[in-house]
Amino acid sequence: MFQQVPPTLGNQYEDDRVLRSYLRRVLPSDALRQIEPSLIEMGRLAGDQLYQLQLSDRLNEPRLTHWDAWGNRIDKIEVTPLWKLAERIAVEHGVVATAYERRFGPLSRVHQCALAYLFTPSTDIYSCPLAMTDGAARTLIACGNQKLIDRAVPHLITREPSEFWTAGQWMTELTGGSDVGLSETIAKHESNTDYRLYGRKWFTSAIGSQIALTLARPEGNPMGGRGLALFYIETRDEDGRLNNIEINRLKDKLGTRKVPTAELTLNGTRAELVMGTSDGVRNITPLLNITRLWNGISSVSLMRRGLALALDYATKRTAFGATLAEKPLHIDTLAGLQAESEAAFHLAFYVAELTGLSEAGEIDEESARLLRLLTPVMKLTTGKQAVSIASEVLECFGGAGYVEDTGLPVLLRDAQVLPIWEGTTNVLALDTLRAIGDEGLSKLQRTVKGLLETVKDSDLNEPSRVVLTAFDHAERWLTNARTVEPSISEAGARRFALTIGRTLELALLIRHAQWSQDHEADARSKAAARRFAQSGIDLIADHSLDDARTILC
Ligand code: MFK
């Protein structure tokens, strides 16, 4: 009787041509030699033990217990077995710590993102608490509050599991996840920098954390984001009792179901000011930028996982007389997905490089502005790609991709969160326009042209032309939209930001393709660049807002 062989994974580092080739280009060979054992080990865990546990852990979900047997309110969260193991592995392998130990200067962020990229797809979005932990450490450091840095940061970046704390990021309230300035939580002053918080937080991810950074409005402050202040909370006291926090319920989400995301009531929660009594939104932005980087790395890592499974399965599944891997249409389909994900990879890791330069204090003003601009661009572009690739990957398995116990549908459900949390596509598209400000695109244009300077292979001429044409179009559109009226640039912001993202992805892929051709005699990235160049880089269209309104009325 026929038996289908399921897809399997090998060592997720050793099998990843794109990651390995990229690291060979950006890391000095001595640094690569030093970090490679850690990547090989993480790749082994991700492809073997963690992946097997992920499959067998599929039906487990976090549980919230409100009361103990004796009537005491405990609000205890029990996470899944994989999450418990994932925490230990993440801490011991420095999936957060590596960025702060800074063994390789600015490139430590690249090392850390490579670990996170390998770790994420096999650990049921344990990347969520790690992202917030990383972001909280970065925010406390950026705010310069020495007392809180000394108190919390060593726990957030430790490699010792018994010392490790995770951090939450409690921003979203019932008034909305995007317009954070509407937050209603009130901060009543007690003494010095100590306050008590009263309010409801509506979407607090990974609620098992030991600390949280949150926003609240000190009494008497004006409305809006500037009237909010940034607060530090320790969630439990020394006896393990919650800090006047009630966990009302866990969210029943489409995906990321292993992440215990809760609704909370803060009822006199003790909190400490992190920095000043206002400008909370601005002060928490280091956290947003780090979690947006993690979001992008998660996007490319989930794309890679889907493709690793689909590529393997194509060699094992036979239909109409041959394996799928031999079928021209299947080859063409997979090649398109590979090119798309390869382009996305280079943008996510480019932002990691810039983030590392910034953290090491080695970034110049121009690159700092580029980082500010490219963080939302990268997050929104890769988030969209992750959903589309996950959907296509499921289709590569036919009906099996739609059946839960293959472990495949979760790829699509989890990917769907990536364009939503940490700023939706539209919110980040508007943030892109704000980050460009009055300066226009001249600096980005210099960067893009610089990326193409090394191109000498004539096969890359046409992709390079696509980059320059798309970029030119984006620049003209922006100049024109801004001379008309704000609603025009707002209405086209998403198409504009995605065009910038995809254009830069192509430019980065071309730069890498030339390098790979020169140094590895490998033409695969070049083929990917040629393919991606024909995959809808320029999405700008002159749709009229009046037409859009007409369609909807
Ligand atoms: C798996 C990996 C990741 C997992 C993490 C999962 C955890 C999930 C938990 C969550 O979902 S947490 C909620 C995430 N929420 C958001 O991301 C909020 C989305 N909304 C925005 O980003 C809005 O644009 C924003 C709240 C920032 C707008 O608020 P405001 O009050 O209108 O602020 P405004 O005036 O735009 O910005 C205030 C200041 O911050 C300005 O500077 P100035 O005060 O100097 O003028 C801005 O320029 C600056 N700013 C804003 N965004 C910035 C920034 N600066 C640097 N970087 C940014 N990204």
Side-chain angles (χ1 to χ4, degrees), residues 91-247:
V91 176
E92 288 176 350
H93 290 256
V95 180
V96 173
T98 307
Y100 294 84
E101 294 162 351
R102 216 167 280 149
R103 277 172 65 206
F104 305 103
L107 289 167
S108 303
R109 192 44 95 175
V110 169
H111 179 195
Q112 180 251 340
C113 284
L115 284 168
Y117 166 89
L118 294 168
F119 171 87
T120 292
S122 295
T123 45
D124 287 342
I125 317 295
Y126 190 75
S127 51
C128 171
L130 295 180
M132 295 190 291
T133 301
D134 188 351
R138 172 65 30 225
T139 304
L140 291 174
I141 292 167
C143 289
N145 183 327
Q146 201 55 49
K147 179 180 160 211
L148 294 180
I149 293 172
D150 292 345
R151 167 90 183 133
V153 172
H155 291 287
L156 303 176
I157 64 171
T158 183
R159 281 182 184 253
E160 170 50 52
S162 64
E163 297 285 313
F164 184 57
W165 290 357
T166 56
Q169 166 195 10
W170 302 350
M171 289 178 68
T172 304
E173 300 199 359
L174 271 109
T175 43
S178 297
D179 192 356
V180 175
L182 295 175
S183 297
E184 293 179 323
T185 298
I186 294 296
K188 289 183 189 283
H189 189 220
E190 293 249 295
S191 62
N192 302 321
T193 55
D194 296 336
Y195 283 72
R196 284 191 184 260
L197 308 189
Y198 297 84
R200 281 172 78 187
K201 295 289 174 184
W202 186 239
F203 208 98
T204 58
S205 278
I207 186 60
S209 61
Q210 286 79 0
I211 68 163
L213 295 185
T214 193
L215 299 175
R217 198 175 310 280
E219 283 183 304
N221 269 19
M223 296 306 291
R226 286 191 200 287
L228 295 169
L230 174 58
F231 287 94
Y232 167 90
I233 289 174
E234 292 194 1
T235 53
R236 292 181 186 266
D237 64 19
E238 304 77 50
D239 300 321
R241 280 188 300 261
L242 276 166
N243 175 5
N244 299 323
I245 298 164
E246 284 185 1
I247 304 177

Side-chain angles (χ1 to χ4, degrees), residues 368-377 428-441 478 482 496:
R369 279 207 283 273
L370 196 60
L371 173 61
R372 169 71 184 93
L373 167 62
L374 294 187
T375 302
V377 166
L428 293 183
L430 297 175
D431 190 47
T432 302
L433 291 182
R434 180 173 42 196
I436 290 171
D438 297 331
E439 288 184 10
L441 288 175
L478 183 67
R482 285 194 161 168
F496 169 77

Side-chain angles (χ1 to χ4, degrees), residues 12-13 19 38-39 41-47 50-51 54 82-96 112-131 294 297-298 301-302 305:
Q12 289 301 282
Y13 173 70
L19 173 65
S38 71
L39 298 173
E41 176 59 8
M42 188 60 86
R44 188 189 65 73
L45 285 166
L50 288 170
Y51 178 55
Q54 187 179 39
L82 176 56
W83 259 48
K84 289 179 190 157
L85 177 64
E87 174 168 313
R88 185 170 64 69
I89 288 175
V91 176
E92 288 176 350
H93 290 256
V95 180
V96 173
Q112 180 251 340
C113 284
L115 284 168
Y117 166 89
L118 294 168
F119 171 87
T120 292
S122 295
T123 45
D124 287 342
I125 317 295
Y126 190 75
S127 51
C128 171
L130 295 180
W294 273 82
I297 297 294
S298 298
S301 75
L302 290 182
R305 171 54 49 88

Side-chain angles (χ1 to χ4, degrees), residues 27-78:
L27 289 174
S29 52
D30 185 45
L32 182 56
R33 226 183 350 268
Q34 288 183 57
I35 72 167
E36 209 160 32
S38 71
L39 298 173
I40 291 171
E41 176 59 8
M42 188 60 86
R44 188 189 65 73
L45 285 166
D48 187 6
Q49 185 191 358
L50 288 170
Y51 178 55
Q52 291 310 325
L53 187 52
Q54 187 179 39
L55 291 175
S56 62
D57 205 32
R58 188 176 62 81
L59 294 175
N60 290 324
E61 295 202 347
R63 281 210 327 255
L64 167 62
T65 306
H66 279 127
W67 305 98
D68 75 6
W70 309 103
N72 299 302
R73 179 92 190 213
I74 50 169
D75 288 2
K76 184 166 170 264
I77 306 262
E78 181 74 8

